[in-house]
Amino acid sequence: MPQRRVVTGRSYEPRLRFAEELRLLRAGKGESLRDLAERLGWDPSTLGKMESGRSLGSPEIVEALERYYGTPGLLLALWELAVGDPTQFKEQYRRYMILETEALSLWHYGVSILPGLLQTDGYARELLALGGAKGDELDQQVEARTGRRKLLEEEDAPIFRALIAEAVLRTPLRDTAAWRGQLEHLLEVSRWQNVTLQVVPQRAGLHGLVSTSVMFLKLLGGRTVAYMENALRGELIEENASVERLHRAYDAMRDLALNPDESRKFILRMLEEVPCEPST
């Protein structure tokens, strides 16, 4: 078999390719990181992490780099590929992540935590730190987790319904400001046309998914798969009978949930109970 011809010699891995492109563009200008930071008004350590592949940065900083380098669309496209790259997730989650991006609609029930698609940076950071991640590894995992939020913000975003157990909203973060930000984000998202949030009150009692966090994904062709997850592992369920059984339990629980308007009022009450930061 003939060897594959190398065209550029650059990485085929989206995150590394993005970092390589940033380094090459800066080298072409003959500038140091500090020079670039002064011209853009961004911290040089942030730019350095992006060029080393330790961070992807925000879309705002990527757009600023595009304007500076005169590469309209290129850097943002590479950034989007890097953010959505399933290889940045642990092996057992990769197939699910691919299916998630292809789904026409998604339905979620969270028994103990918020779904990744709704998590803010602060929520994801505290949650992922509990698993032992720290430093650059933690930064990368937070970016990968919260980068999934853009799936719900795109022009052709899928329909998303989330049933959230009351206990999830009564389990605050240690960081009060981060918890307030998370609740505010839920209120904002609940008003999006493609998103429906419903709270399952504790008074609903026991139900068929009482100990199960699950996401249903409706795929092209009408097929639906389910993904069940706990603190140790996730399992993709594709067998029709098992998916149907889980879906019946989900539908029954939806009947027990507060309607969307009542759910927004419930989240607002939770927000009002969050202590305000002392003024300085």
Side-chain angles (χ1 to χ4, degrees):
M1 178 182 295
Q3 290 186 336
R4 176 171 57 84
R5 186 168 69 92
V6 177
V7 179
T8 65
R10 301 180 196 172
S11 176
Y12 279 75
E13 195 276 304
R15 191 182 189 98
L16 294 180
R17 182 61 177 268
F18 177 64
E20 287 176 358
E21 200 66 39
L22 292 178
R23 293 195 300 270
L24 287 168
L25 287 169
R26 182 171 59 81
K29 287 273 192 179
E31 296 176 335
S32 68
L33 276 173
R34 188 166 297 279
D35 292 335
L36 179 61
E38 289 177 354
R39 284 169 172 74
L40 294 182
W42 293 88
D43 189 277
S45 65
T46 299
L47 297 171
K49 288 180 179 179
M50 292 172 67
E51 289 193 8
S52 67
R54 289 179 293 164
S55 171
L56 292 176
S58 66
E60 291 77 17
I61 191 172
V62 176
E63 289 173 348
L65 287 164
E66 281 209 312
R67 289 192 295 270
Y68 182 68
Y69 289 129
T71 58
L74 172 64
L75 288 181
L76 194 58
L78 290 174
W79 179 83
E80 289 177 339
L81 288 173
V83 169
D85 178 24
T87 63
Q88 64 188 311
F89 299 101
K90 295 181 179 179
E91 180 65 35
Q92 65 266 35
Y93 302 126
R94 290 180 187 174
R95 175 160 164 71
Y96 166 76
M97 294 302 170
I98 293 172
L99 292 177
E100 184 182 78
T101 63
E102 298 173 349
L104 301 176
S105 56
L106 308 100
W107 307 275
H108 181 270
Y109 171 62
V111 65
S112 57
I113 63 172
L114 292 169
L117 290 173
L118 297 180
Q119 292 178 15
T120 59
D121 290 18
Y123 190 97
R125 179 169 296 278
E126 190 164 314
L127 181 64
L128 292 166
L130 294 175
K134 56 185 176 181
D136 290 341
E137 179 190 6
L138 178 58
D139 291 341
Q140 184 170 340
Q141 288 189 22
V142 170
E143 279 191 341
R145 173 71 60 84
T146 59
R148 292 163 55 198
R149 291 199 307 257
K150 74 181 183 68
L151 179 69
L152 299 180
E153 301 170 7
E154 296 171 346
E155 185 175 344
D156 57 347
I159 299 298
F160 180 59
R161 178 186 294 273
L163 303 183
I164 304 172
E166 179 179 339
V168 174
L169 298 173
R170 292 193 180 277
T171 306
L173 299 175
R174 290 189 292 269
D175 185 329
T176 300
W179 180 234
R180 174 177 289 278
Q182 176 63 76
L183 292 175
E184 289 172 343
H185 180 66
L186 289 179
L187 284 174
E188 176 188 354
V189 171
S190 71
R191 296 184 177 91
W192 294 358
Q193 289 188 345
N194 62 311
V195 176
T196 301
L197 301 186
Q198 291 181 259
V199 176
V200 181
Q202 290 179 339
R203 66 173 182 270
L206 297 176
H207 50 77
L209 296 176
V210 68
S211 61
T212 304
S213 290
V214 62
M215 176 79 88
F216 298 95
L217 301 91
K218 184 176 180 180
L219 307 175
L220 288 170
R223 185 168 68 100
T224 299
V225 299
Y227 182 77
M228 297 172 60
E229 187 177 25
N230 58 35
L232 297 178
R233 62 189 295 266
E235 179 183 4
L236 187 65
I237 300 172
E238 301 184 69
E239 194 267 320
N240 289 338
S242 297
V243 173
E244 178 62 25
R245 185 165 56 251
L246 286 168
H247 214 306
R248 285 198 299 270
Y250 185 90
D251 287 342
M253 187 176 57
R254 186 174 60 183
D255 293 339
L256 302 174
L258 303 178
N259 67 41
D261 286 339
E262 293 171 335
S263 296
R264 275 192 289 271
K265 291 176 183 177
F266 187 95
I267 295 170
L268 182 58
R269 288 199 299 273
M270 294 296 97
L271 180 60
E272 291 171 345
E273 292 177 9
V274 178
C276 295
E277 294 294 317
S279 58
T280 56

